[in-house]
Amino acid sequence: MNEQQGVFKNLYKNLMTPILKNDSGIDAEYLTNLSLSLLSFSSRKYNWPLVSSILKNLNEEFSVIDKRLSQNICGINFCNPIGLAAGFDKNGNAANIWKDFGFGFAELGTVTKFAQNGNPKPRLFRLAEEEAALNRMGFNNNGAENLVKNFLEQGIEFKKNRDNICLGINFGKSKITSLSQAKDDYLTSLELLIPYCDYAAINVSSPNTEGLRKLQDPILLKDLLRAIKNLPNCPPLFVKIAPDLSLKDIEDICKLIIEENIDGIIATNTSIDRLGLENRKIRQTGLLLSEENGGLSGKPLQKKANQVIKDIRNIDKNIILIGVGGIDSPESAWERICSGASLIQLYTGWIYKGPQLVPNILEGILKQLNIHQLSNIKEAIGSDLKWVK
């Protein structure tokens, strides 16, 4: 590690970690928006000499490059299996620079047809001791047209003209749109953004938009997916599902995925299950977690999200899976991959552990590949291999 490497890790440790050790203090959503403002500026001014120099150092500190980590999935080249999960960069404000944090891809959104403010505040809460979060954001975003504008302002080219940025876009239903009109809502957003996205994630599982999870019903989901598949130049499609589905529900969705030739599943979204934390008090509101609306994410979700990956793998080994939920260490990342995930995504764990989590996971995966004498990460997917210290 050269002199300049380690700077950003230490900066995060000294500035952010003390804040993240407490439920109260600086509001979680305010902190997220402040971070995004800085990242947005850097993404737009990428070619400024000072910004360029900082991002170069950032890239050197957090990137791990090794061909054993690379895969081609659905015709998309992923330089490594770690992605930024949807929900952090809803408006694509930092689309240009996620690669500099070491990510192999980033999933932007959730984006909706109409700009919307989301649910009333406060709507994002830290559960510091559990390294978890409760959110009921409600798809707050500036709309699909604004996302196109953000891409243009950052110089993000059509996917066919770029090879250094891998972007997925997560699509949801606008709150003001009825379920009967949901299909048109999704289609409008996709038509605008297909030229920019390497893959599309169809979000039918957020607990924070009323009625949205009803779209996981096989009949409604089939109608939606068929319409999307018929769009010109439709990208690879992944359906994002909830962790709270029954095994029968999961089986029905898998059957639909296979029948309709959908590329894969993202498992999972946040959970409405309180996962043993029902009596945990939210300090900002004074209410118990069992009394609060919203989805739970982070470490408490780890076991449940991993089980969903295993369940899908047991149903059909050919469904491509992106694992997300509670991944916060090299061990949990390796477990998710060996349970059946071809790719994994980080959000809450990345916030608590800091940006060093990405290279730590990648270096950990490489060590396991060496220990198990595997030539590429693909050989670990669904292998049930254990983490070896």
Side-chain angles (χ1 to χ4, degrees), residues 32 36 84-90 107-110 137 140 170 240 347:
T32 298
L36 275 171
L84 176 73
F88 189 79
D89 193 2
K90 293 180 173 69
E107 190 171 306
L108 310 175
T110 298
M137 302 297 287
N140 58 306
N170 187 294
K240 188 165 187 176
Y347 185 168

Side-chain angles (χ1 to χ4, degrees), residues 245-306:
L245 296 170
S246 68
L247 184 57
K248 175 64 166 60
D249 291 334
I250 293 172
E251 288 172 345
D252 288 344
I253 289 176
C254 287
K255 182 181 178 182
L256 175 63
I257 293 293
I258 296 162
E259 289 177 349
E260 298 300 320
N261 198 28
I262 303 303
D263 295 279
I265 295 174
I266 301 174
T268 66
N269 214 313
T270 59
S271 180
I272 56 173
D273 188 339
R274 293 311 177 228
L275 304 171
L277 299 175
E278 290 80 4
N279 295 321
R280 171 68 152 88
K281 184 174 283 188
I282 302 295
R283 293 181 184 176
Q284 293 92 323
T285 66
L287 297 176
L288 300 179
L289 196 55
S290 60
E291 300 172 310
E292 293 280 7
N293 294 323
L296 190 62
S297 66
K299 200 176 191 74
L301 185 56
Q302 187 178 111
K303 184 177 179 181
K304 190 171 189 178
N306 189 62

